Coordinates of all heavy atoms in Angstrom, one line a residue:
M1 N 94.8 120.7 107.6 CA 93.4 120.3 107.7 C 93.4 118.8 107.9 O 92.6 118.3 108.8 CB 92.6 120.8 106.5 CG 91.1 120.4 106.6 SD 90.4 121.3 107.9 CE 88.8 121.5 107.2
S2 N 94.0 118.0 107.1 CA 94.0 116.6 107.2 C 94.4 116.0 108.6 O 93.7 115.2 109.2 CB 94.8 115.9 106.1 OG 94.3 116.2 104.9
D3 N 95.5 116.6 109.2 CA 95.9 116.1 110.5 C 94.9 116.5 111.5 O 94.6 115.7 112.5 CB 97.2 116.8 110.8 CG 98.4 116.1 110.0 OD1 98.4 115.0 109.7 OD2 99.4 116.9 109.8
R4 N 94.3 117.6 111.5 CA 93.3 118.0 112.4 C 92.0 117.1 112.3 O 91.5 116.7 113.3 CB 92.8 119.5 112.2 CG 91.8 119.9 113.2 CD 91.5 121.3 113.1 NE 91.3 121.8 111.8 CZ 91.4 123.0 111.3 NH1 91.7 124.0 112.1 NH2 91.2 123.3 110.1
N5 N 91.6 116.7 111.0 CA 90.6 115.8 110.8 C 90.8 114.5 111.5 O 90.0 113.8 112.1 CB 90.2 115.6 109.4 CG 89.6 116.9 108.8 OD1 89.0 117.6 109.5 ND2 89.8 117.0 107.4
V6 N 92.0 114.0 111.3 CA 92.5 112.7 112.0 C 92.4 112.8 113.5 O 91.9 111.9 114.2 CB 93.9 112.3 111.5 CG1 94.4 111.1 112.2 CG2 93.8 111.9 109.9
H7 N 92.9 113.9 114.0 CA 92.8 114.1 115.5 C 91.4 114.2 116.0 O 91.0 113.6 117.0 CB 93.6 115.3 115.8 CG 95.1 115.2 115.8 ND1 96.0 116.3 115.8 CD2 95.9 114.1 115.8 CE1 97.1 115.8 115.6 NE2 97.2 114.5 115.7
N8 N 90.6 114.9 115.2 CA 89.1 115.1 115.5 C 88.4 113.8 115.5 O 87.5 113.6 116.3 CB 88.4 116.0 114.6 CG 88.8 117.5 114.8 OD1 89.4 117.8 115.9 ND2 88.6 118.3 113.9
A9 N 88.9 112.8 114.7 CA 88.2 111.4 114.7 C 88.7 110.7 115.8 O 88.1 109.5 116.1 CB 88.6 110.8 113.3
G10 N 89.6 111.1 116.7 CA 90.1 110.3 117.8 C 91.4 109.6 117.8 O 91.8 109.0 118.6
F11 N 92.2 109.9 116.7 CA 93.5 109.4 116.5 C 94.5 110.5 117.0 O 94.7 111.4 116.3 CB 93.8 108.9 115.1 CG 92.9 107.9 114.6 CD1 91.8 108.2 113.8 CD2 93.2 106.5 114.9 CE1 90.9 107.2 113.4 CE2 92.3 105.5 114.4 CZ 91.2 105.8 113.7
T12 N 95.0 110.3 118.2 CA 95.8 111.4 118.8 C 97.2 111.0 119.2 O 97.4 109.8 119.4 CB 95.1 112.0 120.0 OG1 95.2 111.1 121.1 CG2 93.7 112.4 119.8
P13 N 98.1 111.9 119.6 CA 99.4 111.6 120.0 C 99.4 110.7 121.3 O 100.3 110.0 121.5 CB 100.1 113.0 120.2 CG 99.4 113.8 119.3 CD 98.0 113.4 119.2
S14 N 98.3 110.9 122.1 CA 98.3 110.1 123.3 C 97.5 108.8 123.1 O 97.2 108.1 124.2 CB 97.6 111.0 124.4 OG 96.4 111.5 124.0
G15 N 97.1 108.5 121.9 CA 96.4 107.3 121.7 C 94.9 107.5 121.2 O 94.5 108.6 120.9
I16 N 94.2 106.4 121.0 CA 92.9 106.5 120.5 C 91.9 107.0 121.6 O 91.9 106.4 122.7 CB 92.4 105.1 120.0 CG1 93.2 104.8 118.6 CG2 90.9 105.1 119.7 CD1 92.9 103.5 118.0
T17 N 91.1 107.9 121.3 CA 90.1 108.6 122.3 C 88.9 107.6 122.4 O 88.3 107.3 121.4 CB 89.7 109.9 121.7 OG1 90.8 110.8 121.5 CG2 88.8 110.6 122.8
G18 N 88.6 107.3 123.7 CA 87.4 106.5 124.0 C 86.1 107.2 123.5 O 86.0 108.3 123.5
G19 N 85.3 106.4 122.9 CA 83.9 106.9 122.4 C 84.0 107.6 121.2 O 83.0 108.2 120.7
S20 N 85.1 107.6 120.5 CA 85.3 108.4 119.2 C 85.0 107.4 118.0 O 84.9 106.3 118.1 CB 86.8 108.9 119.2 OG 87.7 107.9 119.1
L21 N 85.1 108.1 116.9 CA 85.1 107.4 115.6 C 86.3 106.4 115.6 O 86.1 105.3 115.1 CB 85.1 108.4 114.4 CG 85.2 107.8 113.0 CD1 84.0 106.9 112.8 CD2 85.4 108.8 111.9
A22 N 87.4 106.8 116.1 CA 88.6 106.0 116.0 C 88.4 104.7 116.9 O 88.7 103.6 116.4 CB 89.8 106.8 116.7
S23 N 87.7 104.9 118.1 CA 87.5 103.6 118.8 C 86.5 102.7 118.3 O 86.6 101.5 118.3 CB 87.0 104.0 120.3 OG 85.8 104.6 120.3
S24 N 85.5 103.3 117.5 CA 84.5 102.5 116.9 C 85.2 101.8 115.7 O 84.9 100.6 115.5 CB 83.3 103.4 116.3 OG 82.4 102.6 115.5
L25 N 86.0 102.4 114.9 CA 86.7 101.8 113.8 C 87.7 100.7 114.4 O 87.7 99.6 113.8 CB 87.5 102.8 113.1 CG 88.3 102.3 111.9 CD1 87.5 101.7 110.8 CD2 89.2 103.4 111.3
M26 N 88.3 101.0 115.4 CA 89.2 100.0 116.0 C 88.4 98.7 116.4 O 88.8 97.5 116.2 CB 90.0 100.5 117.2 CG 91.0 99.5 117.8 SD 92.0 100.2 119.2 CE 90.7 100.5 120.5
S27 N 87.3 98.9 117.1 CA 86.5 97.9 117.5 C 85.9 97.0 116.3 O 86.0 95.7 116.4 CB 85.3 98.3 118.3 OG 84.4 97.3 118.7
Q28 N 85.5 97.7 115.3 CA 84.9 97.0 114.1 C 86.1 96.1 113.4 O 85.9 95.0 113.0 CB 84.4 98.0 113.1 CG 83.1 98.6 113.5 CD 82.7 99.7 112.5 OE1 83.2 99.8 111.4 NE2 81.9 100.5 113.0
E29 N 87.2 96.8 113.3 CA 88.4 96.1 112.7 C 88.9 94.9 113.5 O 89.2 93.9 113.0 CB 89.5 97.1 112.4 CG 90.6 96.6 111.5 CD 91.6 97.6 111.1 OE1 91.5 98.8 111.5 OE2 92.5 97.3 110.4
A30 N 88.9 95.0 114.8 CA 89.3 93.9 115.6 C 88.4 92.8 115.6 O 88.8 91.6 115.5 CB 89.5 94.4 117.1
R31 N 87.1 93.0 115.6 CA 86.1 92.0 115.4 C 86.2 91.3 114.0 O 86.2 90.1 114.0 CB 84.7 92.6 115.6 CG 84.3 92.7 117.0 CD 82.7 93.0 117.2 NE 82.2 94.0 116.3 CZ 82.1 95.3 116.6 NH1 82.4 95.7 117.8 NH2 81.6 96.2 115.8
A32 N 86.4 92.0 113.0 CA 86.5 91.5 111.7 C 87.8 90.6 111.5 O 87.8 89.6 110.7 CB 86.5 92.6 110.6
S33 N 88.7 90.9 112.2 CA 90.1 90.2 112.1 C 90.3 89.2 113.3 O 91.4 88.7 113.4 CB 91.3 91.1 112.0 OG 91.4 91.8 113.2
G34 N 89.3 88.9 114.0 CA 89.4 87.9 115.0 C 89.9 88.3 116.4 O 90.4 87.5 117.1
G35 N 89.9 89.6 116.6 CA 90.4 90.1 118.0 C 91.5 91.0 118.0 O 91.7 91.7 119.0
G36 N 92.2 91.1 116.9 CA 93.4 92.0 116.9 C 93.2 93.1 115.7 O 92.4 92.9 114.8
V37 N 94.0 94.2 115.8 CA 94.0 95.2 114.8 C 95.3 94.9 114.0 O 96.4 95.0 114.5 CB 94.0 96.6 115.4 CG1 94.2 97.6 114.3 CG2 92.7 96.8 116.2
P38 N 95.1 94.6 112.7 CA 96.3 94.2 111.9 C 97.2 95.4 111.5 O 96.7 96.5 111.3 CB 95.6 93.7 110.6 CG 94.3 94.2 110.5 CD 93.9 94.5 111.9
S39 N 98.4 95.2 111.5 CA 99.4 96.1 111.0 C 99.1 96.5 109.6 O 98.9 95.6 108.8 CB 100.8 95.6 111.2 OG 101.7 96.5 110.7
G40 N 99.2 97.8 109.2 CA 98.9 98.2 107.9 C 97.4 98.5 107.6 O 97.1 99.0 106.5
G41 N 96.5 98.1 108.5 CA 95.1 98.3 108.3 C 94.7 99.8 108.6 O 95.6 100.6 109.1
P42 N 93.4 100.2 108.5 CA 93.0 101.5 108.7 C 93.4 102.0 110.1 O 93.9 103.2 110.2 CB 91.5 101.5 108.5 CG 91.3 100.3 107.5 CD 92.4 99.3 107.9
T43 N 93.1 101.3 111.1 CA 93.3 101.8 112.5 C 94.8 102.0 112.8 O 95.1 103.1 113.3 CB 92.7 100.8 113.5 OG1 91.3 100.6 113.3 CG2 92.9 101.2 114.9
S44 N 95.6 101.1 112.4 CA 97.0 101.3 112.8 C 97.6 102.5 111.9 O 98.4 103.2 112.3 CB 97.8 100.0 112.6 OG 97.8 99.5 111.2
T45 N 97.2 102.5 110.7 CA 97.7 103.6 109.8 C 97.3 104.9 110.3 O 98.1 105.9 110.4 CB 97.2 103.4 108.3 OG1 97.6 102.1 107.8 CG2 97.7 104.5 107.4
L46 N 96.0 105.1 110.6 CA 95.5 106.4 111.2 C 96.1 106.7 112.5 O 96.4 107.9 112.7 CB 93.9 106.3 111.2 CG 93.2 106.5 109.9 CD1 91.8 105.9 109.9 CD2 93.2 108.0 109.5
Q47 N 96.3 105.7 113.4 CA 96.9 106.1 114.7 C 98.3 106.5 114.5 O 98.7 107.5 115.2 CB 96.7 104.8 115.7 CG 97.3 105.1 117.0 CD 96.7 106.4 117.6 OE1 95.5 106.6 117.5 NE2 97.6 107.2 118.3
E48 N 99.1 105.8 113.6 CA 100.5 106.3 113.4 C 100.4 107.7 113.0 O 101.2 108.6 113.3 CB 101.1 105.4 112.4 CG 102.5 105.8 112.0 CD 103.1 105.0 110.8 OE1 102.5 103.9 110.5 OE2 104.1 105.5 110.3
M49 N 99.5 108.1 112.0 CA 99.5 109.5 111.5 C 99.0 110.4 112.6 O 99.5 111.5 112.6 CB 98.5 109.5 110.3 CG 99.1 108.8 109.1 SD 97.9 108.8 107.7 CE 98.7 107.7 106.6
G50 N 98.0 110.0 113.4 CA 97.6 110.9 114.4 C 98.7 111.1 115.5 O 98.7 112.3 116.0
A51 N 99.4 110.1 115.7 CA 100.5 110.2 116.7 C 101.6 111.2 116.2 O 102.2 111.9 116.9 CB 101.0 108.9 117.1
R52 N 101.9 111.0 114.9 CA 103.0 111.8 114.4 C 102.6 113.1 113.7 O 103.5 113.9 113.3 CB 103.8 110.9 113.4 CG 104.4 109.8 114.0 CD 105.2 108.9 113.0 NE 105.8 107.8 113.7 CZ 106.5 106.9 113.1 NH1 106.7 107.0 111.7 NH2 106.9 105.9 113.7
G53 N 101.3 113.3 113.3 CA 100.9 114.3 112.5 C 101.4 114.4 111.1 O 102.0 115.3 110.6
T54 N 101.4 113.2 110.5 CA 102.0 112.9 109.2 C 101.0 112.7 108.0 O 101.4 112.1 107.1 CB 103.0 111.9 109.2 OG1 102.3 110.6 109.6 CG2 104.2 112.1 110.2
T55 N 99.8 113.1 108.2 CA 98.8 112.8 107.1 C 99.3 113.4 105.8 O 99.3 112.6 104.8 CB 97.5 113.3 107.5 OG1 97.1 112.9 108.8 CG2 96.4 112.8 106.5
H56 N 99.6 114.6 105.7 CA 100.0 115.2 104.4 C 101.3 114.7 103.9 O 101.3 114.4 102.7 CB 100.0 116.7 104.5 CG 98.8 117.5 104.2 ND1 97.7 117.6 105.2 CD2 98.3 118.1 103.1 CE1 96.8 118.2 104.6 NE2 97.1 118.5 103.4
S57 N 102.2 114.5 104.7 CA 103.5 113.9 104.2 C 103.4 112.5 103.8 O 104.3 112.0 103.1 CB 104.6 114.1 105.3 OG 104.3 113.3 106.5
S58 N 102.4 111.8 104.2 CA 102.1 110.4 103.8 C 101.4 110.4 102.5 O 101.3 109.3 101.9 CB 101.4 109.7 104.9 OG 102.1 109.5 106.0
G59 N 100.9 111.5 102.0 CA 100.1 111.6 100.7 C 98.7 111.6 100.8 O 98.0 111.7 99.8
Y60 N 98.0 111.6 102.0 CA 96.6 111.7 102.1 C 96.3 113.1 102.4 O 96.5 113.7 103.4 CB 96.1 110.9 103.3 CG 96.3 109.4 103.2 CD1 97.5 108.8 103.7 CD2 95.5 108.6 102.5 CE1 97.7 107.4 103.6 CE2 95.6 107.2 102.4 CZ 96.8 106.7 102.9 OH 97.0 105.4 102.7
T61 N 95.8 113.8 101.4 CA 95.6 115.3 101.4 C 94.1 115.6 101.2 O 93.3 114.8 100.7 CB 96.4 116.1 100.4 OG1 95.9 115.9 99.1 CG2 97.8 115.6 100.5
S62 N 93.7 116.9 101.4 CA 92.3 117.3 101.2 C 92.0 117.3 99.7 O 90.9 117.4 99.3 CB 92.1 118.6 101.9 OG 93.0 119.6 101.4
S63 N 93.1 117.3 98.9 CA 92.9 117.4 97.4 C 92.9 115.9 96.9 O 92.7 115.8 95.7 CB 94.0 118.1 96.7 OG 94.0 119.4 97.2
G64 N 93.1 114.9 97.6 CA 93.2 113.5 97.2 C 94.6 113.0 97.5 O 95.4 113.6 98.3
I65 N 94.8 111.9 97.0 CA 96.1 111.1 97.2 C 97.2 111.7 96.3 O 97.0 111.8 95.1 CB 95.9 109.6 97.0 CG1 95.0 109.2 98.2 CG2 97.2 108.8 96.9 CD1 94.6 107.6 98.0
S66 N 98.3 112.0 96.9 CA 99.5 112.5 96.1 C 100.3 111.4 95.4 O 100.6 110.3 96.0 CB 100.4 113.2 97.0 OG 99.9 114.3 97.7
G67 N 100.6 111.6 94.1 CA 101.4 110.7 93.4 C 102.7 110.5 93.9 O 103.2 111.4 94.4
G68 N 103.2 109.3 93.9 CA 104.5 109.0 94.4 C 104.7 108.8 95.9 O 105.8 108.8 96.4
S69 N 103.5 108.9 96.6 CA 103.6 109.0 98.1 C 103.3 107.6 98.6 O 103.0 106.6 98.0 CB 102.5 109.9 98.6 OG 101.2 109.4 98.3
R70 N 103.5 107.5 100.0 CA 103.1 106.2 100.6 C 101.6 106.0 100.4 O 101.3 104.8 100.2 CB 103.3 106.5 102.2 CG 102.9 105.3 103.0 CD 103.1 105.6 104.5 NE 102.4 104.6 105.3 CZ 102.3 104.7 106.7 NH1 102.7 105.7 107.3 NH2 101.7 103.7 107.3
A71 N 100.8 106.9 100.4 CA 99.4 106.7 100.2 C 99.1 106.1 98.8 O 98.3 105.2 98.6 CB 98.6 108.0 100.3
S72 N 99.8 106.6 97.8 CA 99.7 106.0 96.4 C 100.2 104.6 96.3 O 99.7 103.7 95.6 CB 100.3 106.9 95.4 OG 101.7 106.9 95.5
D73 N 101.3 104.3 97.1 CA 101.8 102.9 97.2 C 100.8 102.0 97.8 O 100.5 101.0 97.3 CB 103.1 103.0 97.9 CG 103.7 101.6 97.9 OD1 103.9 101.0 96.8 OD2 104.1 101.0 99.0
T74 N 100.1 102.4 98.9 CA 99.1 101.7 99.5 C 98.0 101.4 98.6 O 97.4 100.3 98.5 CB 98.6 102.4 100.9 OG1 99.8 102.5 101.7 CG2 97.6 101.5 101.6
M75 N 97.5 102.5 98.0 CA 96.4 102.4 97.0 C 96.7 101.4 95.9 O 95.9 100.5 95.5 CB 96.0 103.7 96.4 CG 94.8 103.7 95.5 SD 94.4 105.5 94.9 CE 95.7 105.9 94.0
S76 N 97.9 101.4 95.4 CA 98.4 100.6 94.2 C 98.3 99.1 94.7 O 97.9 98.2 94.0 CB 99.7 101.0 93.7 OG 100.1 100.0 92.8
K77 N 98.9 98.8 95.9 CA 98.9 97.5 96.5 C 97.5 97.0 96.7 O 97.2 95.8 96.4 CB 99.7 97.5 97.7 CG 101.2 97.6 97.4 CD 102.0 97.6 98.8 CE 103.5 97.9 98.4 NZ 104.3 98.0 99.7
E78 N 96.6 97.8 97.2 CA 95.2 97.4 97.5 C 94.5 97.0 96.2 O 93.9 96.1 96.1 CB 94.5 98.5 98.3 CG 94.5 98.3 99.7 CD 93.5 99.1 100.4 OE1 93.5 100.3 100.2 OE2 92.8 98.6 101.3
A79 N 94.7 98.0 95.2 CA 94.0 97.8 93.9 C 94.5 96.5 93.2 O 93.7 95.7 92.7 CB 94.3 98.9 93.0
T80 N 95.8 96.2 93.3 CA 96.3 94.9 92.7 C 95.8 93.7 93.5 O 95.3 92.7 92.8 CB 97.9 94.9 92.8 OG1 98.3 96.0 92.1 CG2 98.4 93.6 92.3
A81 N 95.7 93.8 94.8 CA 95.2 92.7 95.6 C 93.7 92.4 95.3 O 93.3 91.3 95.5 CB 95.4 92.9 97.1
Y82 N 93.0 93.5 95.0 CA 91.5 93.3 94.8 C 91.1 93.4 93.3 O 90.0 93.6 93.0 CB 90.8 94.4 95.6 CG 90.8 94.1 97.1 CD1 91.8 94.6 97.8 CD2 89.8 93.4 97.6 CE1 91.8 94.4 99.3 CE2 89.8 93.1 99.0 CZ 90.8 93.6 99.8 OH 90.9 93.3 101.1
G83 N 92.0 93.0 92.4 CA 91.7 92.9 91.0 C 91.5 94.2 90.3 O 90.7 94.3 89.3
G84 N 92.1 95.3 90.8 CA 92.0 96.6 90.0 C 91.2 97.7 90.7 O 91.3 98.8 90.2
G85 N 90.5 97.4 91.8 CA 89.7 98.4 92.5 C 90.2 98.5 93.9 O 90.7 97.6 94.4
V86 N 90.0 99.7 94.4 CA 90.3 99.9 95.9 C 89.0 99.7 96.7 O 87.9 100.3 96.4 CB 90.7 101.3 96.2 CG1 90.9 101.5 97.6 CG2 92.1 101.6 95.4
P87 N 88.9 98.7 97.6 CA 87.7 98.2 98.3 C 87.2 99.3 99.2 O 88.0 100.0 99.9 CB 88.1 97.0 99.0 CG 89.5 97.2 99.3 CD 90.1 97.9 98.1
R88 N 85.9 99.5 99.3 CA 85.3 100.4 100.3 C 85.6 99.8 101.7 O 85.5 98.5 101.8 CB 83.8 100.4 100.1 CG 83.1 101.4 101.0 CD 81.7 101.5 100.6 NE 81.0 102.5 101.4 CZ 79.8 102.4 102.0 NH1 79.2 101.3 101.8 NH2 79.4 103.4 102.7
G89 N 86.1 100.5 102.6 CA 86.3 100.0 103.9 C 87.8 99.6 104.0 O 88.2 99.2 105.1
G90 N 88.6 99.6 103.0 CA 89.9 99.2 103.0 C 90.8 100.3 103.6 O 90.3 101.4 104.0
T91 N 92.1 100.1 103.7 CA 93.0 101.2 104.3 C 93.0 102.5 103.5 O 92.7 103.6 104.0 CB 94.4 100.6 104.3 OG1 94.5 99.4 105.1 CG2 95.3 101.6 105.0
T92 N 93.1 102.4 102.2 CA 93.2 103.6 101.4 C 91.9 104.5 101.5 O 92.0 105.6 101.8 CB 93.4 103.3 99.9 OG1 94.6 102.5 99.8 CG2 93.6 104.5 99.0
S93 N 90.8 103.8 101.3 CA 89.5 104.6 101.2 C 89.2 105.1 102.6 O 88.7 106.3 102.8 CB 88.4 103.7 100.7 OG 88.1 102.6 101.5
T94 N 89.4 104.3 103.7 CA 89.1 104.7 105.0 C 90.0 105.9 105.5 O 89.5 106.9 106.0 CB 89.3 103.6 106.1 OG1 88.3 102.6 105.6 CG2 88.9 104.0 107.5
V95 N 91.3 105.8 105.2 CA 92.3 106.8 105.7 C 92.0 108.1 104.8 O 92.0 109.2 105.5 CB 93.8 106.4 105.6 CG1 94.7 107.5 105.8 CG2 94.1 105.2 106.5
Q96 N 91.8 108.0 103.5 CA 91.5 109.2 102.8 C 90.2 109.9 103.2 O 90.2 111.1 103.3 CB 91.5 108.9 101.3 CG 91.4 110.1 100.4 CD 92.4 111.1 100.5 OE1 93.6 110.7 100.8 NE2 92.1 112.4 100.3
S97 N 89.2 109.1 103.5 CA 88.0 109.7 104.0 C 88.1 110.4 105.3 O 87.6 111.6 105.4 CB 86.9 108.5 104.1 OG 85.7 109.0 104.7
I98 N 88.8 109.8 106.2 CA 88.9 110.5 107.4 C 89.8 111.7 107.3 O 89.6 112.7 107.9 CB 89.4 109.5 108.5 CG1 88.3 108.5 108.9 CG2 89.9 110.2 109.8 CD1 88.5 107.4 109.8
A99 N 90.9 111.6 106.5 CA 91.7 112.7 106.3 C 91.1 113.9 105.8 O 91.4 115.1 106.0 CB 92.9 112.3 105.5
M100 N 90.0 113.6 105.0 CA 89.2 114.8 104.4 C 88.0 115.1 105.3 O 87.2 116.0 104.9 CB 88.7 114.3 103.0 CG 89.9 114.1 102.0 SD 89.3 113.7 100.3 CE 88.6 115.2 99.8
G101 N 87.9 114.5 106.5 CA 86.9 115.0 107.4 C 85.6 114.1 107.4 O 84.6 114.4 108.0
G102 N 85.7 113.0 106.7 CA 84.6 112.0 106.6 C 84.6 111.0 107.7 O 85.4 111.2 108.6
K103 N 83.7 110.1 107.6 CA 83.7 109.1 108.7 C 84.3 107.7 108.3 O 84.0 106.6 109.0 CB 82.2 108.9 109.0 CG 81.5 110.1 109.6 CD 80.2 109.9 110.1 CE 79.5 111.2 110.5 NZ 79.6 111.5 111.8
G104 N 85.0 107.7 107.2 CA 85.6 106.4 106.8 C 84.7 105.5 106.1 O 83.5 105.7 106.1
G105 N 85.1 104.5 105.4 CA 84.3 103.5 104.7 C 83.9 102.5 105.7 O 84.5 102.2 106.7
R106 N 82.9 101.7 105.3 CA 82.4 100.6 106.1 C 82.6 99.3 105.2 O 82.4 99.4 104.1 CB 80.9 100.7 106.4 CG 80.5 102.0 107.1 CD 80.6 101.8 108.6 NE 80.3 103.1 109.2 CZ 80.4 103.3 110.5 NH1 80.8 102.3 111.3 NH2 80.1 104.4 111.0
R107 N 83.0 98.3 106.0 CA 83.2 97.0 105.2 C 81.9 96.3 105.0 O 81.0 96.5 105.7 CB 84.1 96.1 106.0 CG 85.6 96.7 106.1 CD 86.4 95.7 106.8 NE 87.7 96.4 106.9 CZ 88.8 95.9 106.4 NH1 88.9 94.9 105.8 NH2 89.9 96.7 106.5

């Protein structure tokens, strides 16, 4: 289910689908970072998963984030960087939201 949700959002093996949630997220992220999409951010993370179909194996599941996974490592690093909480619109919350069929967080 998670991989299908990521593909439905516009993150596909052939790239980001124009006019999709993915293209909107990419545009917002590029504007916020001064013109580029940063490595490790929501867009690059979701596109990598969409291209490879690795949402579940990365730890982003419909039941939440799997312990000991790449997703839990990302969540831990974000929480440390933000003083103990995971920011809305950050990589963890956005990827998990889209993996579960949501529209991602907004910054």
